[in-house]
Amino acid sequence: MDITTDKRSAPEGRHPAADIRAQAQKRAASMREMALRVLVPPLVRRLDARRIWLFGSVARGVPSKDSDLDVLVEVGENAAGLPFKERVAAAYDVVADAPLAFGCDVIPWTTAELAAKHRAGGPFFRTLWGERELLYERGR
C-alpha cells in the first residue's frame, strides 16, 4: 500500500506525510524534555558542563522510533584536566544511571577541543555544529 495515496489514517484533507512529520516532532520534543529532566543535571554535575547541546535527528526534529539522543558537552574546568577516555566514562556512567527510554551518545569535549574542531572544519563537526540545539548553558 502506498502511504502517499492512502488517506484512511490521516484526518480529512491532511496528507499522511504531515502526520509522520508531526509524530516525529512530538517524539523529538518528548526526548528533549526527558533529556532536560534526567540527563542534563547529572551531566552538569559530573562534567562541570559549561554548555550542553543536542545534535542529530532529535535536534533536526525528525527522530524515528529507533533514534537515540546525540549530546555534545563542553566540559568545564574541573573535568577539562581529565583524559578524554575518563570524560567519556563519566558521561556514560551518567547515561547508564539515567532512566531514559532511548539510547544516548555523549561527546564530552573541552573548550580547547571544540576550538580545534572549529579550525579543522571536518565534515562530522560541520554537520554537528550546523544542526546543534542548546539545552544548557552555565549562568543562564
Side-chain angles (χ1 to χ4, degrees):
M1 178 183 325
D2 180 4
I3 68 163
T4 61
T5 58
D6 180 25
K7 303 279 187 191
R8 289 177 290 173
S9 63
E12 191 64 34
R14 278 189 64 169
H15 195 279
D19 288 338
I20 292 168
R21 278 190 301 276
Q23 289 170 0
Q25 289 170 345
K26 185 177 179 181
R27 185 176 306 111
S30 174
M31 291 173 81
R32 268 186 217 97
E33 174 58 34
M34 183 171 276
L36 281 166
R37 217 177 49 247
V38 303
L39 190 61
V40 168
L43 282 174
V44 168
R45 285 189 301 274
R46 273 304 279 281
L47 296 172
D48 186 32
R50 294 175 56 134
R51 291 181 198 91
I52 299 175
W53 296 274
L54 292 182
F55 65 97
S57 64
V58 175
R60 291 188 309 269
V62 294
S64 71
K65 294 182 300 191
D66 301 320
S67 289
D68 66 355
L69 193 65
D70 298 305
V71 179
L72 172 62
V73 178
E74 179 182 0
V75 301
E77 299 77 26
N78 293 334
L82 297 173
F84 181 71
K85 285 183 178 183
E86 288 183 34
R87 286 182 265 136
V88 169
Y92 281 94
D93 285 346
V94 168
V95 170
D97 290 342
L100 296 171
F102 42 81
C104 183
D105 292 321
V106 181
I107 301 173
W109 281 333
T110 65
T111 302
E113 289 166 338
L114 278 169
K117 301 291 181 186
H118 271 289
R119 284 190 302 278
F124 172 73
F125 184 79
R126 280 196 318 269
T127 299
L128 174 160
W129 202 250
E131 67 190 20
R132 77 192 186 285
E133 176 186 339
L134 185 65
L135 276 186
Y136 169 84
E137 185 170 15
R138 187 185 299 163
R140 241 180 166 191

